[in-house]
Amino acid sequence: MNTIRELVNQGIKVLQRMKINYNSTIGPNTMQLINISKQLIPNLQKEQPEIADILNNALSTINFNGFISAYSFGDIRTCYRILASLYNHPKKIFISHSSEDKDIVNGFVKEILMLGCKFERTDIFCTLDHSAIRTGEDFRNEIVKNMKGCDFILCMISENYKRSEVCTNEMGAAWAMDGKRILPFKFPNLPFDDMRFLNVVKQGADITDKSKLDELYTELCAFYGLSPDWINYNQRTADFIQLVNSKTGCK
């Protein structure tokens, strides 16, 4: 799906540069659009076969004696608009954490996700107040409802998290979902051995590990088609790590 999204975004950028009429000739922008579309079609064959066929037919007729066929161009533009609505969905990240750790989690949301990745606050669902969620079926339904619309689920694991039945239930609900990218981050004063009860030892990463935060940034940029700004992001991660160390007493 990431490949389709990236190609669709590339095609849309080319289309935004193009203004044609019935006398428009085949030029560099048209050729670039054709090349992107040729790469896109095989990726669409399984997920969107009808759109793939329309796009393929339009490519075969867009060159009319050296001029752009306005009808074929219109079909291509319509295909990209439909694909953009299907694949360029809003960014959604679910953060599971203990309310006792809200200072660090708020720092992560602000420095890493909002200032670093340039996400909007509405792109992030953060379970800041667990007291507002009832136990039992109401709790699970509320959590599942909010998790279903997310692409990434980040679990902020601390001693407070381990002691919270609500938090461990959240993690259980997360692992039970299909198609979600689940990323557990542990606090620096929590040994990896203490994470065994969550069965995430191999997947877990220290929240102050710069290389792991960089991996997260790279993955989010690739998934959502963001343009990396490493100078800005490096400063944000440094500020966040300093915050965590000051709150946890670690260096």
Side-chain angles (χ1 to χ4, degrees):
M1 188 170 72
N2 288 346
T3 301
I4 294 176
R5 181 185 291 110
E6 291 171 8
L7 290 170
V8 168
N9 286 335
Q10 290 176 28
I12 288 174
K13 288 179 181 178
V14 176
L15 284 166
Q16 290 172 343
R17 299 197 300 264
M18 297 180 67
K19 295 181 179 179
I20 75 160
N21 54 44
Y22 287 98
N23 296 315
S24 297
T25 57
I26 300 292
N29 285 330
T30 310
M31 293 307 302
Q32 187 178 3
L33 181 64
I34 291 172
N35 291 332
I36 293 170
S37 300
K38 286 181 177 178
Q39 296 176 59
L40 181 59
I41 288 170
N43 289 282
L44 291 173
Q45 292 292 353
K46 184 177 180 180
E47 294 188 25
Q48 307 292 341
E50 293 182 357
I51 296 178
D53 288 343
I54 294 172
L55 199 55
N56 190 50
N57 290 333
L59 289 181
S60 67
T61 57
I62 192 170
N63 189 339
F64 183 73
N65 296 327
F67 293 90
I68 297 174
S69 166
Y71 296 105
S72 299
F73 179 80
D75 286 344
I76 293 173
R77 183 169 52 193
T78 299
C79 285
Y80 275 95
R81 286 175 176 172
I82 294 171
L83 291 169
S85 68
L86 291 172
Y87 291 95
N88 287 347
H89 51 76
K91 300 176 282 292
K92 290 295 178 182
I93 296 176
F94 184 104
I95 299 182
S96 172
H97 71 97
S98 167
S99 57
E100 299 297 320
D101 300 319
K102 64 181 181 180
D103 289 344
I104 290 177
V105 176
N106 279 335
F108 182 88
V109 169
K110 175 185 175 183
E111 297 293 344
I112 302 299
L113 297 181
M114 295 180 67
L115 297 178
C117 299
K118 304 298 177 65
F119 289 172
E120 299 293 335
R121 186 63 184 85
T122 52
D123 297 329
I124 305 158
F125 180 85
C126 199
T127 56
L128 283 173
D129 185 8
H130 290 313
S131 64
I133 304 175
R134 292 176 290 178
T135 58
E137 290 186 358
D138 288 342
F139 158 77
R140 289 190 61 83
N141 289 340
E142 185 69 17
I143 293 302
V144 169
K145 180 181 72 175
N146 286 287
M147 284 183 174
K148 279 184 177 179
C150 294
D151 304 306
F152 292 82
I153 300 174
L154 307 184
C155 300
M156 304 299 186
I157 304 167
S158 65
E159 290 290 350
N160 294 321
Y161 194 102
K162 287 173 56 182
R163 288 192 293 266
S164 169
E165 182 180 354
V166 174
C167 290
T168 53
N169 284 339
E170 278 185 6
M171 175 167 276
W175 285 108
M177 290 198 169
D178 294 328
K180 304 297 179 184
R181 183 76 166 102
I182 304 170
L183 300 171
F185 284 93
K186 77 171 192 68
F187 282 29
N189 50 7
L190 179 68
F192 275 103
D193 289 346
D194 288 354
M195 294 172 64
R196 286 177 182 164
F197 81 108
L198 295 169
N199 194 30
V200 292
V201 177
K202 292 182 180 179
Q203 297 92 347
D206 194 302
I207 201 170
T208 58
D209 186 334
K210 177 66 165 61
S211 65
K212 295 299 182 181
L213 292 174
D214 288 353
E215 287 179 11
L216 173 65
Y217 183 53
T218 300
E219 184 171 356
L220 291 174
C221 286
F223 188 87
Y224 292 115
L226 307 175
S227 298
D229 181 353
W230 283 103
I231 295 176
N232 172 66
Y233 184 74
N234 288 337
Q235 181 60 57
R236 300 306 176 187
T237 55
D239 291 345
F240 172 68
I241 291 172
Q242 183 178 13
L243 169 68
V244 176
N245 290 338
S246 69
K247 293 294 183 180
T248 60
C250 296
K251 295 183 178 181

